[in-house]
Amino acid sequence: MPAALIAGTLIYDLPGVTLEERSVDTPFGETLLYDIRGAESEIVFLPRHGLSHDTPPHKINYRANIKALEMLGVKRALAVNAVGSINQDVPPLDMVVLSDFLDFTSGREATFFDGGERGVKHVDMSEPYCPYLREHLLEAAPSYASTLHSRGVYVCTNGPRLESPAEIKMFAQLGGDVVGMTGLPEAVLAREANICYASVGFSINWAAGFQDTIEFTEDGEGLQRMKDDLLDLLLEVLVTTSDAECCHT
Ligand code: HPA
């Protein structure tokens, strides 16, 4: 069975890797995915915004994306989420293995179990991200130069606007470490589809209120190194983990 790499902002393709497009028709719409050719094991690449980033976070068809993975038999998925830093100890260009989330999205189709024929089910989010995949990410991380924090609370806002300084202050008080717009409902839908899912946030800016205006990390050596480390780490973990050992919560 293939494993999946779900990517978003700033990661639209995989350098040096040949991708072969395939379309999957789901009950929620079509999703375009890419088979990674020549990988040591079967991996599909899913750019959640589309390859040219033409879908904003609140309009991503999260249900079609995760359903497509389920239909392909995917049991393990690693995701990346661009984030802003709320916690002073997690500066831009650091990465975080997400351990929990605060969901501030609204108006998104956020469940496969919305009643009627699809039934009603309340999935357990006591452990929001797969512990098996998280552990393997942390074990593999020391061989990469970029800093990877072992845990962090991800705040998901609806976007597409960025936050106000007061919102960021509130998120900090609630325990948020990083803020992004695309991690939910993806993580929840993966759980509903019995796909083991973990995500790494990579910070590209201080969140609102840290500076007069938000300054995104410019394309440059630092950003490139972080992106290279991140993709190599995720691909390594997808290749070295197995469906059989996964928890399939
Ligand atoms: N806020 C929300 N989403 C983001 C940010 C941010 O500061 N940076 C990257 N994605």
Side-chain angles (χ1 to χ4, degrees):
M1 293 295 181
L5 172 54
I6 307 175
T9 299
L10 291 179
I11 301 187
Y12 306 113
D13 65 5
L14 302 173
V17 169
T18 310
L19 298 175
E20 196 167 302
E21 184 176 291
R22 71 156 106 175
S23 152
V24 181
D25 265 323
T26 81
F28 306 102
E30 184 197 16
T31 284
L32 288 180
L33 298 142
Y34 300 83
D35 289 315
I36 299 182
R37 288 270 151 247
E40 284 168 59
S41 56
E42 239 187 309
I43 300 176
V44 292
F45 177 61
L46 169 54
R48 61 167 83 80
H49 296 268
L51 273 188
S52 51
H53 200 155
D54 46 12
T55 313
H58 63 294
K59 288 201 169 157
I60 291 172
N61 193 340
Y62 296 95
R63 290 201 298 185
N65 284 351
I66 297 297
K67 183 55 81 175
L69 297 184
E70 187 188 14
M71 287 166 70
L72 293 178
V74 167
K75 294 285 178 208
R76 282 171 297 134
L78 287 177
V80 297
N81 293 100
V83 295
S85 297
I86 298 176
N87 183 334
Q88 305 244 18
D89 296 333
V90 184
L93 294 183
D94 277 11
M95 308 191 288
V96 189
V97 179
L98 303 181
S99 52
D100 207 338
F101 64 70
L102 291 162
D103 187 356
F104 281 86
T105 62
S106 58
R108 300 183 181 190
E109 296 288 1
T111 180
F112 292 123
F113 298 108
D114 52 4
E117 275 177 18
R118 298 205 181 100
V120 175
K121 188 174 173 185
H122 306 285
V123 287
D124 186 348
M125 298 306 287
S126 304
E127 190 146 38
Y129 300 96
C130 169
Y132 167 75
L133 292 176
R134 293 186 69 253
E135 188 188 307
H136 279 266
L137 285 166
L138 294 173
E139 268 173 27
S143 29
Y144 298 90
S146 301
T147 303
L148 185 81
H149 298 267
S150 59
R151 52 194 309 108
V153 175
Y154 176 88
V155 179
C156 196
T157 59
N158 212 45
R161 72 165 175 87
L162 290 157
E163 301 72 38
S164 69
E167 286 171 329
I168 293 298
K169 247 187 224 161
M170 175 184 74
F171 295 150
Q173 281 169 11
L174 294 177
D177 295 302
V178 291
V179 57
M181 300 177 190
T182 52
L184 293 161
E186 193 174 89
V188 173
L189 291 165
R191 177 65 50 85
E192 288 187 348
N194 287 319
I195 295 173
C196 285
Y197 175 99
S199 176
V200 178
F202 65 101
S203 175
I204 54 172
N205 60 284
W206 287 112
F210 279 82
Q211 291 160 325
D212 291 343
T213 55
I214 289 188
E215 284 173 30
F216 292 104
T217 304
E218 296 288 329
D219 253 343
E221 223 177 88
L223 185 62
Q224 194 54 50
R225 196 191 59 206
M226 182 183 65
K227 285 190 338 187
D228 290 348
D229 281 351
L230 181 57
L231 287 177
D232 288 348
L233 170 68
L234 264 53
L235 289 171
E236 178 186 334
V237 171
L238 287 175
V239 168
T240 54
T241 52
S242 74
D243 288 353
E245 286 176 72
C246 232
C247 41
H248 302 116
T249 43

